[in-house]
Amino acid sequence: MTKISRRLFLKRATAALATMAVAPSLASCLSDEESRKVRKIAPVVGKYDVVVVGGGPAGFISAIAAARKGAKVAIVERYGFFGGMATIGYVAPISVFALKNELVIGGIPWEFVKRLESMGGAFIEWPKANIDFDIELYKLCCQRMILEAGVDIYMHSSMVGCEMEGNTIDSVIIENKNGLETLVSKVFIDCTGDGDLAHMAEVPMQPNPDGEVQPSSFCFILSGVDTKSELLNRCMYHNGINGPSQCKPVREKLLAMKAAGVDLPDFGGPWFNNVMHEGSVAVNMTRRAADSTNNRNFSEVECQLREDIFLFTKVLKENFKEFENCYVASTAPQAGIRESRRIVGLHTVMGEEYVNAVHYEDSISRGIHPIDLHASKGTHQHRVDLTKPAYVPYRALVAPNYPNLLVAGRCISTDRQAHASLRVMASCMGVGQAAGAAAAQAVTKGVAVQDISTSELIAQLKEWGAVL
Ligand SMILES: Cc1cc2nc3c(=O)[nH]c(=O)nc-3n(C[C@H](O)[C@H](O)[C@H](O)COP(=O)(O)OP(=O)(O)OC[C@H]3O[C@@H](n4cnc5c(N)ncnc54)[C@H](O)[C@@H]3O)c2cc1C
C-alpha cells in the first residue's frame, strides 16, 4: 500500500516543501496525493540503471566502471568538478598503488594514473607508486574519462533526499540552480565520503562510543617556496627513499618552539607535497577535531583552520630560509575530512584481519597504505606499516537488507583501524571500481546487490587489471 510504505527522506526542506502538506521532517510517509506534489516540486529528470552520488576517487571510478559494463549511469557531485579530496581538499599524493614496484591496485584506477601521466599531470613515485599530481589536470582527466564512458553528469548538485519503498531506494532528490530534481535508478552507489545517502536511508552506522574521529586538516598551496632546496627535495616526495614523508627538520623545530612556550596550534606532519610546479607545494599541517556531519561545528572549525593556515605560513616564512618568500597562493575549496560515518555492512573489516592480510572468498580490492591514525588533539600520529597487501571483501560494501544500495570509498564497513588505511585514495578507487562493476551486474541480472555472483565480479575486475 503506497500510502503507508512510500517514504520521503529530506535532508532539509526548501521553503516550497515547507509550505506543502509534506511535513518537513527527516522521514515522512507519503499519501498518493503527497507523492504527486513531491513530483511537481522535484520533477523526474533522469531514469538510470546506476546513480553514483559523489564524484571523489571512489565515485568517479565507480561511475566509469558501471558505464563500461553497459549500464546507463549518472554521477551527482556538489562541486563543479570531480576528484573529491584530491581536488576539493588539495590532498596529495594519491596513496598507494604498489609494494616494491609491484602494483597492488590496478585496472581503471591505474589507467587513470597513466592517462594523467600522459597529460603531464602525474609523477609516479616508485617503488610505492604514490602519485604526485597537478590538481587542475586531475580535474580535466577525471571529466574526460567520465564523459568518454558515457556517464551523465549532474555537477553543482547536492543530493538532499531520497524516496524509498521499504528498504529499496527508488530515487534521489538533488538540489541545484534548477531547483529540486529527482533521479530514478535501479541501483545507487553512495560515494559521498560521509555516507550521506546510506544515512538518509537509515542504514545502521558503525558505533563510535568515545566520539573520537581523526582530525580535519585544511590544506593549501604555498608558492614562492625554494622547491630546489635540499630540504624540500627531501620532504616533497613520498617514496620512502629519504625516510618518512613528514618533513622532520621542520617538525622538530616547531615542536621545540611549542615546548619553549610559543603559542602554536596543534599540527600534523608537516607534509609538503609535490604539485608539479616549481616553487609551489601543497601543505598539509593544520589539524583540529571536527564533525563534518554537523554543519555548525564544521563551519566553526573551518574558520579556525583558515586562521591556522596564515599563522603557520608566517612561522615558516620567519624560521626557514626555504620559505622566506612564500605566500598562500590558494586554500582548498574546503577543509579535508579524514573520518566520519561508516556503514555496518554484511562484513566489517577489522584492523587485525586487515593487518594480517586475511583473504576472503569475495575479495574485490586491496590496500598497502599503513594504518595511519591521526590524533584528533595534539601532534601525534599512530602508524602501523603493513608487510603484505590487505584485502577488502565485497560484503563490506553492502548493507544487509538494502537490495539496491552499495557504498564505496571511506564510508565502507570497517573498524577505525582498518579505515585508517583503506581511506587513502588509491584504495578508495579500487573499491569504487568493484562497486561500479557489481552495480552493473545487479542491473543486468535483475538481482539484489546481495545476490550478485562475486566470482563473476572478481573475474571482471581481473580482466580490467585488478590485482586480487
Ligand atoms: C588532510 C587529509 C590528508 C590526507 N592525505 C592523504 C594522502 O596523502 N594520500 C591519500 O591517498 N589519501 C589521503 N587522505 C584520504 C583521502 O583523501 C580520502 O579518504 C579519500 O579522498 C576518500 O575518498 P571518497 O571518494 O570516499 O570521498 P571524497 O574524496 O570525500 O569524495 C566525496 C565526494 O562526494 C561529494 N559529495 C559529498 N556529499 C555529497 C552530496 N550530499 N551530494 C553530492 N555530492 C556530495 C564531495 O563533494 C566529494 O567530491 C587524506 C585526507 C585528508 C582529509
Side-chain angles (χ1 to χ4, degrees):
M1 289 285 290
T2 315
K3 187 163 183 155
I4 48 167
S5 66
R6 189 165 179 78
R7 290 173 298 151
L8 169 73
F9 293 82
L10 273 181
K11 196 170 168 189
R12 62 194 166 93
T14 62
L17 274 164
T19 60
M20 290 174 40
V22 180
S25 59
L26 185 67
S28 309
C29 292
L30 301 186
S31 67
D32 291 346
E33 174 60 14
E34 286 164 344
S35 281
R36 274 193 291 277
K37 285 185 180 175
V38 172
R39 275 298 63 74
K40 227 174 154 185
I41 283 180
V44 175
V45 292
K47 291 190 177 177
Y48 292 96
D49 294 326
V50 179
V51 166
V52 177
V53 187
F60 85 85
I61 296 287
S62 67
I64 294 167
R68 286 192 186 173
K69 283 302 294 168
K72 186 176 182 221
V73 182
I75 187 164
V76 178
E77 168 55 49
R78 68 190 156 145
Y79 286 96
F81 50 85
F82 299 100
M85 278 298 139
T87 54
I88 69 179
Y90 292 177
V91 163
I94 309 173
S95 318
V96 178
F97 279 93
L99 174 67
K100 296 181 187 162
N101 293 310
E102 297 280 339
L103 278 190
V104 164
I105 294 164
I108 301 170
W110 189 245
E111 182 189 327
F112 168 73
V113 170
K114 296 301 283 180
R115 175 90 174 256
L116 188 55
E117 185 188 37
S118 74
M119 290 164 67
F123 173 65
I124 305 172
E125 288 192 34
W126 298 105
K128 292 183 177 181
N130 270 304
I131 315 298
D132 304 346
F133 57 89
D134 175 314
I135 294 166
E136 297 307 320
L137 288 173
Y138 188 122
K139 294 177 190 170
L140 184 66
C141 188
C142 261
Q143 81 179 38
R144 281 185 181 165
M145 285 181 68
I146 292 168
L147 291 169
E148 283 165 13
V151 175
D152 284 357
I153 57 174
Y154 294 83
M155 296 196 300
H156 299 291
S157 298
S158 284
M159 191 271 306
V160 294
C162 65
E163 288 173 279
M164 301 185 67
E165 300 266 1
N167 278 353
T168 302
I169 302 172
D170 290 338
S171 66
V172 288
I173 296 180
I174 61 173
E175 187 189 25
N176 54 40
K177 284 282 185 183
N178 296 355
L180 293 175
E181 299 183 318
T182 300
L183 301 178
V184 173
S185 186
K186 293 176 184 155
V187 177
F188 295 85
I189 310 179
D190 183 342
C191 297
T192 58
D194 292 325
D196 283 4
L197 178 56
H199 171 68
M200 260 172 222
E202 297 186 323
V203 173
M205 294 291 157
Q206 293 289 334
N208 185 8
D210 55 9
E212 174 79 7
V213 289
Q214 294 199 51
S216 187
S217 295
F218 207 158
C219 299
F220 56 105
I221 305 290
L222 216 46
S223 292
V225 177
D226 185 359
T227 47
K228 289 200 159 154
S229 61
E230 200 212 325
L231 177 76
L232 267 300
N233 266 289
R234 253 200 296 151
C235 297
M236 261 168 52
Y237 301 100
H238 302 255
N239 49 23
I241 293 167
N242 292 323
S245 54
Q246 52 176 233
C247 197
K248 260 181 117 181
V250 176
R251 179 178 177 80
E252 277 161 13
K253 182 145 190 179
L254 295 181
L255 286 176
M257 287 167 77
K258 243 173 145 24
V262 179
D263 189 16
L264 287 180
D266 286 340
F267 63 87
W271 294 272
F272 301 115
N273 303 311
N274 177 21
V275 289
M276 305 188 60
H277 293 283
E278 195 181 323
S280 294
V281 285
V283 183
N284 173 0
M285 72 185 295
T286 66
R287 133 180 316 191
R288 283 180 189 263
D291 177 1
S292 63
T293 64
N294 176 335
N295 174 268
R296 249 64 79 210
N297 172 267
F298 195 64
S299 303
E300 189 186 327
V301 174
E302 201 167 41
C303 286
Q304 292 164 343
L305 287 167
R306 192 179 298 280
E307 293 285 352
D308 295 347
I309 288 176
F310 287 88
L311 191 153
F312 280 124
T313 300
K314 186 166 178 286
V315 171
L316 290 172
K317 249 175 117 68
E318 288 173 356
N319 290 278
F320 301 91
K321 66 176 182 344
E322 297 82 356
F323 291 92
E324 65 190 1
N325 296 316
C326 76
Y327 60 96
V328 177
S330 164
T331 57
Q334 68 158 77
I337 301 158
R338 289 189 175 85
E339 182 177 0
S340 57
R341 302 184 192 107
R342 294 185 304 283
I343 67 158
V344 176
L346 286 173
H347 182 89
T348 296
V349 183
M350 306 301 282
E352 205 182 324
E353 62 194 75
Y354 188 78
V355 170
N356 289 317
V358 170
H359 181 267
Y360 316 89
E361 223 174 285
D362 61 341
S363 294
I364 45 79
S365 194
R366 304 187 81 177
I368 186 60
H369 189 71
I371 304 269
D372 180 10
L373 202 59
H374 298 242
S376 65
K377 288 202 170 56
T379 55
H380 184 67
Q381 179 188 4
H382 171 69
R383 199 185 139 114
V384 180
D385 285 311
L386 305 184
T387 48
K388 288 176 280 184
Y391 292 92
V392 187
Y394 173 65
R395 284 161 297 151
L397 286 53
V398 181
N401 307 322
Y402 284 78
N404 70 340
L405 174 67
L406 288 167
V407 300
R410 70 176 168 81
C411 48
I412 65 170
S413 186
T414 63
D415 70 1
R416 292 197 69 223
Q417 302 289 320
H419 166 266
S421 164
L422 275 173
R423 67 189 179 87
V424 292
M425 295 184 281
S427 302
C428 289
M429 288 178 179
V431 169
Q433 167 170 252
Q441 192 197 128
V443 171
T444 308
K445 292 194 167 148
V447 298
V449 293
Q450 289 82 2
D451 297 330
I452 64 152
S453 157
T454 49
S455 54
E456 273 179 43
L457 172 62
I458 290 163
Q460 174 61 68
L461 297 172
K462 283 185 177 167
E463 195 186 311
W464 279 338
V467 187
L468 295 172

